[in-house]
Amino acid sequence: MNFRHLENPKTLNGKILNKRLEKRMLQKEVANFIGVTEDCVTLWENNRSNPTVKYYPKIIEFLGYFPFEIDTSSLAGKIKYYRYINGFTQEDLAKNLGVNESTVFHYEKGSHKPKGRLLQILTLLLSEVNRYPDGNTQVHHL
């Protein structure tokens, strides 16, 4: 299959495809870097499936930038950003915090705000999540 560079891709899949073509890499090489099968990369590039969050850290590293539009000026956005750069599902983060998955969902939606001990823990975890003046969110290892 012959792929063409996409003009301003909106999807993560398109961004992966463009970076691979830009770097003149084979799907197999991208797959090895990310830690998936070549078939996964093929399915992503054909928009037949999407990467799961556990692969986001390696995808972000491969792309060299954070490919998601998340408002990290809000607590909700910082929580989602933290999850993405660490490859955590909402369930993973919930287990780490000792809450249930729907609690994390509501924190990210902004419909609930953490209080007390949970707020202190999240504040510490999220202290490295920053929004830069140029509007690009940079990858920070927490």
Side-chain angles (χ1 to χ4, degrees), residues 20-142:
R20 180 179 69 79
L21 294 175
E22 177 187 309
K23 290 184 168 193
R24 299 179 184 263
M25 292 176 74
L26 300 172
Q27 289 176 331
K28 180 178 175 178
E29 294 170 312
V30 175
N32 288 336
F33 181 84
I34 294 172
V36 296
T37 65
E38 184 177 352
D39 288 340
C40 275
V41 175
T42 301
L43 290 170
W44 295 344
E45 290 184 357
N46 287 305
N47 288 311
R48 304 211 44 196
S49 73
N50 296 307
T52 58
V53 72
K54 77 179 184 177
Y55 298 113
Y56 287 3
K58 290 301 280 184
I59 291 170
I60 292 166
E61 184 180 344
F62 170 71
L63 294 174
Y65 66 94
F66 188 80
F68 306 99
E69 290 185 26
I70 296 176
D71 177 8
T72 57
S73 67
S74 70
L75 180 60
K78 287 178 184 178
I79 292 170
K80 185 178 261 189
Y81 176 83
Y82 177 81
R83 274 197 318 103
Y84 283 13
I85 65 171
N86 287 288
F88 294 157
T89 62
Q90 289 177 335
E91 182 181 8
D92 295 332
L93 183 56
K95 284 179 185 174
N96 289 338
L97 295 173
V99 298
N100 93 27
E101 183 179 349
S102 69
T103 301
V104 173
F105 169 81
H106 288 291
Y107 288 168
E108 287 184 3
K109 192 176 170 188
S111 58
H112 291 85
K113 297 200 184 299
K115 297 176 185 164
R117 182 180 131 318
L118 270 178
L119 180 58
Q120 290 175 335
I121 291 168
L122 281 169
T123 300
L124 182 63
L125 287 176
L126 304 175
S127 63
E128 300 264 338
V129 177
N130 294 314
R131 191 84 158 147
Y132 283 74
D134 65 1
N136 291 322
T137 305
Q138 304 292 315
V139 177
H140 291 284
H141 299 287
L142 305 177

